[in-house]
Amino acid sequence: MHIWAVANQKGGVGKTTTVVSLAGLLADEGHRVLMVDLDPHGSLTSYFRFDPDSIEHSVYDLFQVQGKITQELPKKLVLETGHPNLSLLPSSTALATLERHAQAQGGMGLVISKTLAILWEDYDYVLIDSPPVLGVLMINALAACQQLIIPVQTEFLAIKGLERMVRTLTMINRARKKPVPYIIVPTLFDRRTQASNKSLRSLKDTYEDLVWHSVIPIDTKLRDASTAGIAPSALDSSARGIKAYASLISTLKDPVN
């Protein structure tokens, strides 16, 4: 099982789009893919037409059993998306209450790691959509993942937000036996604008080899796929955005290139 987390401490940078696009492409290749929605806003869950406000069972259930996760529980929570090979562990808005409980209970940082250990033989890839705030949910994502993807919108404020994410990652890596490798992915890039081009240069100057060699462009087909509730590659595999995400997958599978 390969576990990739998508995280940034700023919203609106393309985290959910990145998860859905990568997951859809991996599923198209025949891999068994599980998406995990750890954001209380539930954008990934809503994408596939499940309501995080009213959903009966969700990833929240895993945190309610105080670390005593049975072999059966995770499999009961997984939902099918209608896309072959693509499954979802949905979010619930109840996740927003976790921080209060986490302080009282303690030991909640490895819930997702324990869950994925149970599901290890069931999936080839797991992609985790993280909330844009540092807390128990993001810590779970970073503790569980083998690879971190940090989408960064090519605009000034998003780059400033990246500084917080990198500081957080430095802190988390001190507590891990093996540091989390990460890649910074420029998103929502518009080559026609000076702001996008200037921000991209700034990213590369500041973070150098940590920045992916290409970009994810602005592409209305990605938004159209969201409106339709399907993986973007199922809507139009030839779209610019999908080709860019396919290139990103090649880099993630073979990071030397």
Side-chain angles (χ1 to χ4, degrees):
M1 179 189 283
H2 303 277
I3 306 169
W4 299 348
V6 179
N8 194 326
Q9 284 177 251
K10 184 181 185 306
V13 297
K15 292 190 300 295
T16 300
T17 298
T18 296
V19 169
V20 173
S21 298
L22 295 177
L25 285 164
L26 289 166
D28 290 344
E29 293 177 359
H31 298 295
R32 299 165 301 166
V33 183
L34 175 66
M35 300 172 293
V36 180
D37 191 354
L38 289 185
D39 190 341
H41 289 108
S43 296
L44 180 60
T45 300
S46 297
Y47 188 106
F48 289 100
R49 302 302 183 263
F50 299 105
D51 186 358
D53 290 323
S54 61
I55 196 164
E56 185 175 359
H57 296 290
S58 71
V59 70
Y60 181 68
D61 295 33
L62 299 169
F63 291 89
Q64 289 294 95
V65 295
Q66 300 183 5
K68 299 176 182 178
I69 303 170
T70 64
Q71 293 289 317
E72 297 78 19
L73 180 58
K75 297 181 182 183
K76 289 180 179 178
L77 302 178
V78 172
L79 301 174
E80 298 308 313
T81 65
H83 187 294
N85 302 320
L86 192 57
S87 303
L88 171 69
L89 188 51
S91 175
S92 164
T93 51
L95 283 173
T97 67
L98 269 187
E99 296 304 325
R100 194 166 61 246
H101 301 320
Q103 292 176 6
Q105 293 179 12
M108 293 180 68
L110 297 176
V111 170
I112 297 303
S113 295
K114 293 175 181 177
T115 299
L116 296 183
I118 293 171
L119 297 172
W120 197 266
E121 299 299 328
D122 296 338
Y123 299 97
D124 304 307
Y125 285 88
V126 174
L127 281 85
I128 304 172
D129 194 3
S130 305
V133 292
L134 176 59
V136 67
L137 292 167
M138 182 180 286
I139 288 172
N140 265 269
L142 296 179
C145 76
Q146 303 154 345
Q147 170 73 56
L148 175 64
I149 302 160
I150 307 177
V152 181
Q153 184 179 358
T154 45
E155 58 97 14
F156 176 73
L157 290 178
I159 293 177
K160 293 298 290 183
L162 175 62
E163 296 174 5
R164 293 194 301 275
M165 187 67 219
V166 171
R167 285 197 298 269
T168 294
L169 190 57
T170 300
M171 178 185 69
I172 295 293
N173 278 340
R174 289 197 195 106
R176 282 182 55 127
K177 293 180 180 178
K178 184 178 180 182
V180 184
Y182 66 96
I183 184 170
I184 297 167
V185 178
T187 59
L188 298 166
F189 179 72
D190 187 346
R191 60 184 175 82
R192 300 167 300 178
T193 69
Q194 184 177 356
S196 264
N197 285 286
K198 186 176 180 180
S199 296
L200 181 60
R201 286 195 299 271
S202 177
L203 269 178
K204 292 182 175 180
D205 289 344
T206 304
Y207 296 98
E208 300 178 333
D209 294 341
L210 294 170
V211 180
W212 183 43
H213 63 81
S214 190
V215 298
I216 305 298
I218 287 179
D219 188 345
T220 57
K221 291 296 179 68
L222 298 175
R223 184 180 60 207
D224 293 344
S226 175
T227 301
I230 58 176
S233 57
L235 180 72
D236 186 354
S237 60
S238 66
R240 291 181 305 140
I242 291 305
K243 288 183 176 180
Y245 277 116
S247 176
L248 176 57
I249 285 179
S250 297
T251 298
L252 293 168
K253 287 182 176 180
D254 187 10
V256 175
N257 294 326

